[in-house]
Every structure is written in structure tokens, then in C-alpha cells.
């Protein structure tokens, strides 16, 4: 180990020792029996386990509340979970899910179809709730009903075959608890009742907490629970990982040499790329709503430099469809990619010409002014300590200065950043599109008018607030079709529209960070055993992994 790495590791030992100090409440399960993960940052945790909240604790949708099925991005399969299967009606206007009959909530109450119907109707009655199926009633659902204890029927107002993925991805909450909640949007849910593997808040502090076994979990478990530490930035995370104090998750620079080489028998990583990092420009904010401005900004950006400095060269630049090539290679139209090279490659001279020709003149100080005579000066916000995004944002600010835009990087807490971006109260930020089953969801989430929420209303999708009715029409055609060739043709048209409008600016394909240490626990997925995603940031992915983990014999 080099001197610098050894110093970093020693710092990690000290940092983790501090974070692992006794929690305010007496923990029943010792720390050495828990899987120690890197999943949240900061030191101001609130006891919020409301899965519908944008600031819920990480475990809310990764260990506590479960969906009926899980889209497995490692295998490309739709894995049964609380439901054992689904069936469409002949006219594709109703969908029936068959549920497991052996599931209980963590308080011992039976899980039934009534809970599923209740969850969807709760979201219908409370539009402020966030979840995979948010907005379904306004878009394609007309009714959800429990046929019997293990059968739930979804009736559609229009044919919408992609609705399957949002429906089965939706986490379910217990009717017997939530029916008495006065305001489910603000409800903290400090004592959660779920069907997931770990639901017991064994101990909780403002910078760490541990969650242990659901006594009624429907699958066998070989581990006791998870310990979540709040780290302040990637440097502290790297230190803890390199010192061997983390079992799963985290990020280290150049992992082949700084991590795996330290202990090749136990240390590993897997970084598939299933999404794209994008520069998000708030389209409700003056000149940022102009496609010409966004394309000029894109032409100024040095994507390869971002890749080299932020992700150690382990990525490729994004293309003009906005889609990552790996999971969507069979959907991407090469003609659109070629056409889009005119605005996703670096060319500052072309960027300046676009702005000049569009009338965005430079002021006496060299800063351009918009059509209202206001300086084109913007803040770009990213969470403090997210070094890859901080690095990319610094490059964005430098590059945009070259074309007469004054951009100031401002870092904030992860929770504050989430709130600002979800509610559309920002100028510029970075973001990644949610992993989706097909490109349909990507374009719906980033270009459909139905995904545009008013500024001030939280939404995990379309934070840039861009909507095009023509996109809605194509999405409707895709949703009504069961013909694969027709669907592929429609996606190609949507790719072309993304290329024309630049609703978001693709930067580079996002590696799905995933590190593991098998010194204490085994069974983690990797490139050789790709049964599930390794990244802890996949909303439902960790649910696939928990039952596979085993504690290594002493």
C-alpha cells in the first residue's frame, strides 16, 4: 500500500470508529453482525421512513417496503416478488396480478390484495405522493380493486402496455396503518411497518442508524440487518472502504489499483453503465428554455475531461438520444446518433456562433445577456462530497465561461439538493435518468407534458420541466401498440425529437457504482455472478441481494 493510501486508510479507520460509536438508543444487534453499507451522506438524518417522501431514509424502499415485481437490470428479467405473476386481458385494458399467500407485514398482519388496492388509491387521492406509479390514474388507470385476498385487478382507461412496469414497481404500504394517516405527504412514518427483510429500527442517530430483521419476513435470511453510516463526501467514503470497514458500496478512485490490489481475494467491484449523467437546465428559467442556448452549452462541454477526472476513464460520452448504449443498444437509431454529433461534441467556436446568431450578445464584462437584458448568470448545484459530480460541474462552469455564461458552482447537502431539483427550484444541476425497462419510460419521464410538475411540486422525473405535446402523441401510440417493430419505429422518432429539442444535455454514461468486501459476508453479485445489480442506488435492486448474502464462518 502506498504512503498516501495508507494515510487514507488510517483516516478511514478513525472516521469509521467515530461513526460507529454507541448510538443514542441501545442497539440489540451488535455492529459486527450487520452488513455495513455506504448509502447515505451527511450527518443530519431525520427519522423519516415514508417511502413516498423525497427525503425518506435509504432503507425505506430498499429494505422496508417492497414492490409486487422487480425489474432486474442485471438480467433484463421481471422477477416475481410480492406477486407471483401477471396476466393481461385480451384487449389489454385490464391487468391482473396474483399475489403470494404467505406474506405478512412486520407487525404480523396479513398482506393481501386490499393493501395493493389501497396503496394505489392512496396515491390517486394524494397527488403529492412520489412513487413509480405516481400519475397513473391521470394517465391510464381508471380503477384498482382487490378481487380476493391474492388477486388485484387494474382497469385501464386506455390501452397502455408500458403501465405494467410502473404498476409492478410500485412499493406497497399497509392499509391498516396508513388509512389513519391524516396527511400521507408529510407523514414521517418513524415506526415503519413493512413487508421487507429489515424493518426494525434497532438504533438511530443523526449520522448513522441500523435496521434489523423483520420477524415475519416471507423469505429465509442469513444476515441480521444493515448498518448505514453518514459520510461527508467521497474522500471519507474512500478512506472507510480502503480500510476494510465497509462490506458493500462506496466509491474509490481507480479501483483496480487502489482497492482490488489491496486484497484481491476479498475486494471487488462491478460498474455496468445503465444510465446517463446529464446537465439539467431548468427550462422555466428564461434563456435556459431556449433549445439554441442548451445546444450551445452542450457544444462548449469537454465530456472526455469529465470522464477522465471524475470516473477515472471508466465511461464513454453520452449520445444525442440520451440513452445508454449497453441496455438499449437494440433500440438506438445510429442515424440519430450521427445527426446529434452536431451538438454533443465539443466545439466552442460553434457554440459561440450559435449564441451570437441567436442574439445573445456579450455585455461590456464579457457575460452574455438574455432577451430581457439580464446577464446569463446561473448557479449549478450538486451535493457536497459527490466528487465525480463536483468535478464535472467545475468543468461545466469553466467551459461555459468560454462562451460568455457566468456559472457559479454551489454545493449543498444531499437532502437540500434533492428538494431543490425535485421541486424545480434551481438553474442548473446534474442528474441521471431513472433506470427504465424500455426507452419509452425515459422519454416519458423527460419529455412528456404529463411528467411536468409546477415549480414547487416535487417530482423525481423531468426536473428540467420540459414537455412537448407531440411527444405525448408518440408515447400514446407506443403504449397502444403490441407490435415490436412498430414500437421500435416510434422510439426512433422520439430519439429524433430528443436530438432536436435537447431537453437535457447528455454528458457521459453513468457507472453504477458497486464495491464489495467478502471478508465478513459473501454472496454479492458481480460480473461473473450477475444475478442482480450490485449498485445500492437501484431502488429495488438491493431487495434481490439481501436473501443471497451469508455471513462468513468465523
Amino acid at each position: 500500500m502506498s504512503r498516501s493510501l495508507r494515510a487514507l486508510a488510517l483516516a478511514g479507520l478513525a472516521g469509521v470508529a467515530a461513526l460507529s460509536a454507541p448510538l443514542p438508543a441501545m442497539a440489540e444487534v451488535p455492529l459486527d453482525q450487520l452488513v455495513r453499507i455506504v448509502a447515505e451522506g451527511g450527518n443530519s438524518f431525520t427519522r423519516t421512513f415514508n417511502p413516498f417522501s423525497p427525503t425518506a431514509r435509504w432503507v425505506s424502499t430498499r429494505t422496508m417496503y417492497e414492490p409486487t415485481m422487480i425489474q432486474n437490470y442485471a438480467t433484463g428479467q421481471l422477477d416475481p416478488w410480492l406477486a407471483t405473476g401477471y396476466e393481461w386481458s385480451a384487449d389489454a385494458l385490464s391487468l391482473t396480478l396474483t399475489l403470494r399467500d404467505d406474506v405478512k407485514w412486520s407487525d404480523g398482519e396479513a398482506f393481501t390484495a386490499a393493501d395493493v388496492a389501497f396503496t394505489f388509491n392512496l396515491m390517486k387521492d394524494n397527488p403529492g405522493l412520489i412513487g413509480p406509479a405516481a400519475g397513473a390514474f391521470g394517465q391510464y388507470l381508471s380503477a384498482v380493486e382487490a378481487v380476493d385476498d391474492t388477486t388485484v385487478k387494474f382497469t385501464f382507461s386506455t390501452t397502455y402496455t408500458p403501465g405494467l412496469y410502473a404498476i409492478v414497481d410500485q412499493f406497497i404500504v399497509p392499509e391498516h396503518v396508513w388509512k389513519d394517516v391524516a396527511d400521507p405527504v408529510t407523514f414521517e412514518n418513524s415506526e415503519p411497518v413493512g413487508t421487507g427483510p429489515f424493518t426494525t429500527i434497532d438504533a438511530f442517530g443523526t449520522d448513522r442508524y441500523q435496521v434489523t430483521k423483520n420477524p415475519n419476513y416471507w423469505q429465509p435470511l442469513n444476515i441480521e440487518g444493515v448498518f448505514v453510516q453518514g459520510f461527508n463526501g467521497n474522500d471519507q467514503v474512500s478512506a472507510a472502504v480502503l480500510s476494510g470497514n465497509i462490506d458493500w458500496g462506496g466509491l474509490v478512485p481507480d479501483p483496480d489499483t487502489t482497492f482490488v490490489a489491496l486484497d484481491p481475494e476479498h475486494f471487488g467491484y462491478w460498474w455496468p453503465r445503465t444510465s446517463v449523467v446529464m446537465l439539467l437546465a431548468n427550462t422555466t428559467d428564461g434563456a435556459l428554455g431556449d433549445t439554441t442556448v442548451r445546444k450551445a452549452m452542450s457544444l462548449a462541454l469537454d465530456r472526455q475531461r469529465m470522464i477522465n477526472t471524475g470516473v477515472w476513464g471508466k465511461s464513454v460520452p453520452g449520445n444525442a438520444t440520451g440513452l445508454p448504449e449497453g441496455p438499449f443498444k437494440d433500440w438506438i437509431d445510429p442515424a440519430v446518433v450521427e445527426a446529434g454529433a452536431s451538438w454533443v461534441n465539443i466545439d466552442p467556436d460553434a457554440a459561440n456562433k450559435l449564441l451570437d446568431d441567436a442574439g445573445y450578445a456579450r455585455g461590456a464584462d464579457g457575460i452574455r445577456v438574455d432577451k430581457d437584458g439580464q446577464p446569463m448568470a446561473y448557479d449549478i448545484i450538486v451535493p457536497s462530497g459527490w466528487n465525480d459530480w463536483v468535478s464535472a460541474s467545475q468543468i461545466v462552469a469553466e467551459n461555459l465561461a468560454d462562451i460568455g455564461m457566468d456559472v457559479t458552482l454551489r454545493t449543498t447537502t444531499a437532502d437540500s439538493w434533492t428538494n431543490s431539483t425535485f421541486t424545480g427550484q434551481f438553474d442548473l444541476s446534474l442528474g441521471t435518468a431513472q433506470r427504465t425497462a424500455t426507452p419509452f419510460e425515459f422519454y416519458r419521464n423527460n419529455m412528456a407534458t404529463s411528467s411536468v410538475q409546477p415549480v414547487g411540486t416535487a417530482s423525481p422525473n423531468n426536473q428540467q420541466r420540459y414537455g412537448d405535446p407531440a411527444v405525448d402523441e408518440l408515447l400514446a401510440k407506443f403504449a397502444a401498440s403490441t407490435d415490436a417493430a412498430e414500437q421500435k419505429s416510434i422510439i426512433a422518432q422520439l430519439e429524433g425529437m430528443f436530438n432536436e429539442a435537447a431537453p437535457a444535455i447528455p454528458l457521459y454514461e453513468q457507472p453504477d457504482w458497486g464495491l464489495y468486501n467478502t471478508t465478513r459476508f459473501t454472496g454479492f453479485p458481480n460480473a461473473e455472478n450477475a444475478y442482480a445489480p450490485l449498485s445500492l442506488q437501484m431502488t429495488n435492486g438491493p431487495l434481490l441481494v439481501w436473501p443471497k448474502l451469508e455471513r462468513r464462518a468465523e
Side-chain angles (χ1 to χ4, degrees), residues 27-43:
E28 294 187 7
V29 180
L31 176 59
D32 63 3
Q33 295 184 28
L34 304 176
V35 178
R36 296 170 295 192
I37 65 174
V38 176
E40 297 197 63
N43 56 5

Side-chain angles (χ1 to χ4, degrees), residues 48-63:
T48 303
F49 298 101
N50 178 346
F52 299 107
S53 169
T55 57
R57 299 274 62 84
W58 179 89
V59 292
S60 302
T61 55
R62 277 87 169 185
T63 79

Side-chain angles (χ1 to χ4, degrees), residues 19 23 89 99 126 134 239 256 281-282 291 298 326 496:
L19 288 168
L23 287 156
S89 62
L99 307 180
N126 297 272
D256 291 304
N282 191 331
T291 295
S298 177

Side-chain angles (χ1 to χ4, degrees), residues 192-217:
V193 174
T195 60
F198 309 118
T199 56
T200 303
I201 313 301
D202 192 45
F204 191 89
T206 56
D207 61 1
R208 57 204 184 275
Y209 61 90
Q210 57 192 58
V211 183
T212 55
K213 276 184 180 179
N214 170 357
N216 296 298
Y217 194 50

